[in-house]
């Protein structure tokens, strides 16, 4: 099975959130499961050039706005499968990955270039796996290409929705010069053009990143205006929970943390806690629980609840450590909370890169994810591996991956609350802290988390089954049309 993964961000090259973790890890896991997988992603200015092996070609011809520019493509062996990086500084050397008015144009170009590259790579892939709205253009273009070009006749597409809230909107008039005017109706969403919607319509199969989120996006409450489309395509929609790359997130081998630890040798975790307190300038009170959060500072992540419950969290006796980048209002809230309680609240505003995220996972006691919605979420799973107990809202992938601890049966690896409300969240935080003060029980919850298997191999096999279904269907279709 030859699979091209297209993604606008991927670890270890460039990252703003979980899409990057997933794109890198899935490419690796598919390869480990026997697939001929490879990744295509933009060469941003922030990509560490040390990861590149060299130029793969320097003359990739891309049909673009009536011209045919020739651009270089780089290759990296940083994963176990090849990564091809599209080098177009005009679009990708912006000092950031997203956030410019021409984002739709930048990623339409990326998609066009990625498809041009597929032709230069020899055998056509059986599956092109497109991720989120930036790759919506590629699913539309592939649908057209395989009717026009023998080379792509047997190539099918999977479109993965990592977050339905990001819809890739732009003016319909721009479809013309982007070369998609024939498919205007696929893009149209309430008077505007959406690369996400077009990707959903054009793909041969759809997936999203947890079973519960697959159900939620078919409801008006969580469908972001696209629930009707998700229901219409529900027979093609799979919910496959993300996994954890245990080569990267493993407290026994992690080179970013102060001391290693494992299920049978947990002493190192205390050293990591001390290190974390020092990094954030907090007093070395090792018995006080640390509640941590690492996330993009957006409404999705539940900062409104944290703001409402701020006093209660500190009254419950915890330290609070937050790492986040994003909306000004939440950055200002974190700053004022820290200023009011500098000995209890530690903050890092901005995108810190990987080491600090690992140090927080290793040193914290409780990891908070009070998300309004959460397609999958990764930090709750990273936390479990590091003996850090997740307290989450029961939504999307958080509900699928965290089991509530039950003291009667001793089962469960975290704590979950249902209603999106500050009192409900605070109740669970208090419950978690109550168990934290009983080390015999806490150790059991930690063990349950540390032994939970969230490895990528399970998810990779589910993706392979999905690919098999559409690749088989594709061949039949081509045969019967001949
Ligand atoms: P999302 O993709 O919605 O942001 P996930 O839980 O799937 O949420 O993944 C978030 C990823 O981004 C995690 O690997 C997390 O550690 C990382 N991350 C988020 N914010 C930051 C930040 N400010 N600095 C460093 N890493 C971050
Ligand atoms: C999105 C979601 C997050 C998910 C990630 C990777 O950014 O918000 O829940 O874990 O994609 O699939």
């Amino acid at each position: 099975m030859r699979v091209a993964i297209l993604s606008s961000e991927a670890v270890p090259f460039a990252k703003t959130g979980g899409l990057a973790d997933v794109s890198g890890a899935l490419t690796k896991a598919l390869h480990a499961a026997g697939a001929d997988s490879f990744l295509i992603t933009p060469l941003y200015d922030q990509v560490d050039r040390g990861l590149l092996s060299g130029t793969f070609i320097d003359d990739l011809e891309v049909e673009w706005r009536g011209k045919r520019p020739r651009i270089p493509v780089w290759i990296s062996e940083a994963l176990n499968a090849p990564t091809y990086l599209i080098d177009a500084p005009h679009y990708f050397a912006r000092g950031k990955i997203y956030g410019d008015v021409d984002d739709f144009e930048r990623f339409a170009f990326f998609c066009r270039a990625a498809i041009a590259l597929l032709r230069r790579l020899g055998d056509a892939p059986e599956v092109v796996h497109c991720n989120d709205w930036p790759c919506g253009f590629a699913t539309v273009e592939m649908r057209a290409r395989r009717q026009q070009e023998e080379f792509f006749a047997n190539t099918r597409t999977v479109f993965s929705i990592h977050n339905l809230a990001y819809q890739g909107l732009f003016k319909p008039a721009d479809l013309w010069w982007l070369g998609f005017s024939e498919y205007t109706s696929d893009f149209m969403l309430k008077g505007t053009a959406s690369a996400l919607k077009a990707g959903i319509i054009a793909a041969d199969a759809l997936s999203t990143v947890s079973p519960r989120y697959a159900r939620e996006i078919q409801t008006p409450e969580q469908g972001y205006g696209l629930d009707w489309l998700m229901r219409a395509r529900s027979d093609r929609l799979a919910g496959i929970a993300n996994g954890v790359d245990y080569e990267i997130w493993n407290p026994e081998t992690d080179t970013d943390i102060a001391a290693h630890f494992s299920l049978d040798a947990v002493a190192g975790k205390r050293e990591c806690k001390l290190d974390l307190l020092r990094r954030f300038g907090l007093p070395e009170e090792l018995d006080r629980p640390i509640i941590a959060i690492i996330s993009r500072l957006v409404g999705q992540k539940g900062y409104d609840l944290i703001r409402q419950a701020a006093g209660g969290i500190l009254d419950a006796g915890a330290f609070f450590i937050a790492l986040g980048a994003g909306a000004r209002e939440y950055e200002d809230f974190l700053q004022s909370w820290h200023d009011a309680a500098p000995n209890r609240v530690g903050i890092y505003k901005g995108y810190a890169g990987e080491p600090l995220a690992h140090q927080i996972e290793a040193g914290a006691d409780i990891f908070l994810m009070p998300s309004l919605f959460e397609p999958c979420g990764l930090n709750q799973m990273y936390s479990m591996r590091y003996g850090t107990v997740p307290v989450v809202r029961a939504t999307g992938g958080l509900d699928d991956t965290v089991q509530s601890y039950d003291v009667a049966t001793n089962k469960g690896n975290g704590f979950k609350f249902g209603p999106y409300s500050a009192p409900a969240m605070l109740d669970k935080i208090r419950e978690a802290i109550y168990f934290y003060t009983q080390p015999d029980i806490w150790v059991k919850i930690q063990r349950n988390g540390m032994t939970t298997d969230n490895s990528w191999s399970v998810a990779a096999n589910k993706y392979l089954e999905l690919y098999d279904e559409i690749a088989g269907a594709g061949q039949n279709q081509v045969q019967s049309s001949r």
Side-chain angles (χ1 to χ4, degrees):
M1 178 66 67
R2 187 161 161 76
V3 188
I5 313 248
L6 271 54
S7 182
S8 54
E9 53 180 287
V11 165
F13 306 102
K15 167 167 169 177
T16 65
L19 172 62
D21 300 52
V22 170
S23 303
L26 178 61
T27 305
K28 279 165 71 177
L30 288 170
H31 184 84
D36 177 11
S37 57
F38 57 95
L39 174 69
I40 308 179
T41 194
L43 181 69
Y44 298 103
D45 42 354
Q46 64 262 59
V47 172
D48 173 0
R49 281 356 193 216
L51 294 169
L52 307 179
S53 316
T55 38
F56 174 67
I57 46 175
D58 59 9
D59 61 347
L60 179 71
E61 195 174 281
V62 187
E63 272 189 66
W64 190 242
R65 304 190 65 174
K67 298 202 173 108
R68 290 173 175 271
R70 285 167 186 261
I71 61 165
V73 177
W74 295 74
I75 185 162
S76 167
E77 308 294 339
L79 304 174
N80 60 356
T83 301
Y84 301 96
L85 298 105
I86 305 290
D87 187 3
H90 170 63
Y91 285 133
F92 303 126
R94 303 268 182 104
K96 60 184 173 189
I97 299 182
Y98 314 107
D100 278 339
V101 284
D102 62 347
D103 280 359
F104 68 96
E105 176 182 341
R106 299 168 61 220
F107 293 110
F109 178 84
F110 166 67
C111 290
R112 180 76 42 83
I115 292 172
L117 176 64
L118 293 178
R119 280 192 219 97
R120 294 282 295 269
L121 287 175
D123 298 338
E126 282 144 291
V127 172
V128 178
H129 186 154
C130 302
N131 293 280
D132 271 355
W133 78 261
C135 300
F137 300 100
T139 56
V140 178
E141 187 160 334
M142 282 307 307
R143 186 185 55 185
R145 295 278 176 203
R146 71 163 181 248
Q147 279 157 10
Q148 299 155 358
E149 289 178 39
E150 184 60 30
F151 181 76
F152 286 125
N154 287 320
T155 301
R156 296 293 172 265
T157 53
V158 171
F159 185 74
S160 285
I161 300 163
H162 296 261
N163 198 327
L164 202 68
Y166 297 97
Q167 304 194 332
L169 304 178
F170 56 99
K171 290 198 300 296
D174 293 324
L175 286 166
W176 179 78
W177 58 265
L178 290 175
F180 288 101
S181 53
E182 266 179 81
Y183 314 107
T184 300
S185 64
D186 293 338
F187 283 88
M188 287 308 288
L189 180 64
K190 293 187 192 139
T192 180
S194 162
L196 176 78
K197 182 194 164 220
I200 293 171
I201 289 189
D204 295 299
L206 301 169
S207 74
T208 186
V209 288
S210 70
R212 177 160 170 175
Y213 192 63
R215 297 192 299 276
E216 288 172 345
I217 55 179
Q218 297 179 48
T219 67
E221 296 74 32
Q222 300 235 45
Y224 274 83
L226 286 170
D227 49 295
W228 58 275
L229 181 57
M230 300 320 305
R231 286 195 298 278
R233 299 224 63 196
S234 59
D235 60 327
R236 288 306 182 120
L237 173 64
I240 303 175
N242 292 329
V244 175
D245 186 336
Y246 288 127
E247 282 177 18
I248 297 178
W249 295 94
N250 181 352
E252 294 175 45
T253 53
D254 194 326
T255 51
D256 290 322
I257 62 179
H260 291 150
F261 57 94
S262 66
L263 200 57
D264 302 311
V266 284
K269 188 162 172 71
R270 242 176 128 72
E271 266 184 66
C272 292
K273 181 168 181 178
L274 189 60
D275 173 66
L276 184 61
L277 290 170
R278 287 181 182 151
R279 280 179 191 280
F280 279 86
L282 295 168
E284 295 175 10
E285 298 166 7
L286 280 168
D287 290 335
R288 189 187 288 285
I290 302 179
I291 302 177
I293 184 166
I294 305 171
S295 78
R296 295 177 297 114
L297 298 177
V298 291
Q300 173 194 346
K301 300 294 180 180
Y303 274 89
D304 296 319
L305 300 191
I306 297 174
R307 185 161 46 190
Q308 285 167 40
I313 291 173
L314 298 189
D315 288 347
F319 287 119
F320 198 90
I321 287 182
L323 163 59
R328 185 67 196 269
E329 63 165 314
Y330 299 124
E331 288 200 359
D332 289 349
F333 152 65
L334 287 176
Q335 188 63 54
S336 61
W337 197 17
H338 166 74
D339 293 345
N343 283 332
R344 297 287 287 283
V345 178
I347 60 169
Y348 183 109
K349 295 180 297 179
Y351 184 78
E354 299 304 278
L356 188 60
H358 285 241
Q359 287 145 11
I360 293 175
E361 286 292 4
D365 298 294
I366 294 169
F367 198 92
L368 183 63
M369 294 181 80
S371 305
L372 176 61
F373 66 94
E374 196 62 74
C376 181
L378 296 170
N379 285 104
Q380 78 279 17
M381 297 190 277
Y382 299 158
S383 297
M384 287 179 203
R385 185 59 167 213
Y386 284 75
T388 301
V389 176
V391 173
V392 306
R393 177 156 176 264
T395 183
L398 296 175
D399 195 32
D400 287 331
T401 57
V402 176
Q403 284 77 46
S404 290
Y405 179 70
D406 178 351
V407 72
T409 60
N410 228 345
K411 295 217 159 65
N413 48 26
F415 296 89
K416 292 198 269 197
F417 61 98
Y420 186 72
S421 81
M425 179 184 79
L426 213 42
D427 268 359
K428 280 297 150 186
I429 289 176
R430 289 201 195 99
E431 190 179 330
I433 291 178
Y434 169 74
F435 286 119
Y436 171 83
T437 58
Q438 303 182 52
D440 309 352
I441 297 187
W442 194 249
V443 155
K444 287 176 188 154
I445 309 173
Q446 286 180 305
R447 285 188 83 89
N448 290 348
M450 291 177 91
T451 52
T452 301
D453 181 7
N454 288 311
S455 53
W456 260 106
S457 54
V458 180
N461 283 317
K462 289 187 181 158
Y463 279 111
L464 284 172
E465 279 167 29
L466 186 68
Y467 301 157
D468 265 335
E469 275 170 35
I470 51 170
Q475 268 144 23
N476 293 339
Q477 213 172 310
V478 169
Q479 275 161 16
S480 61
S481 68
R482 273 182 183 157

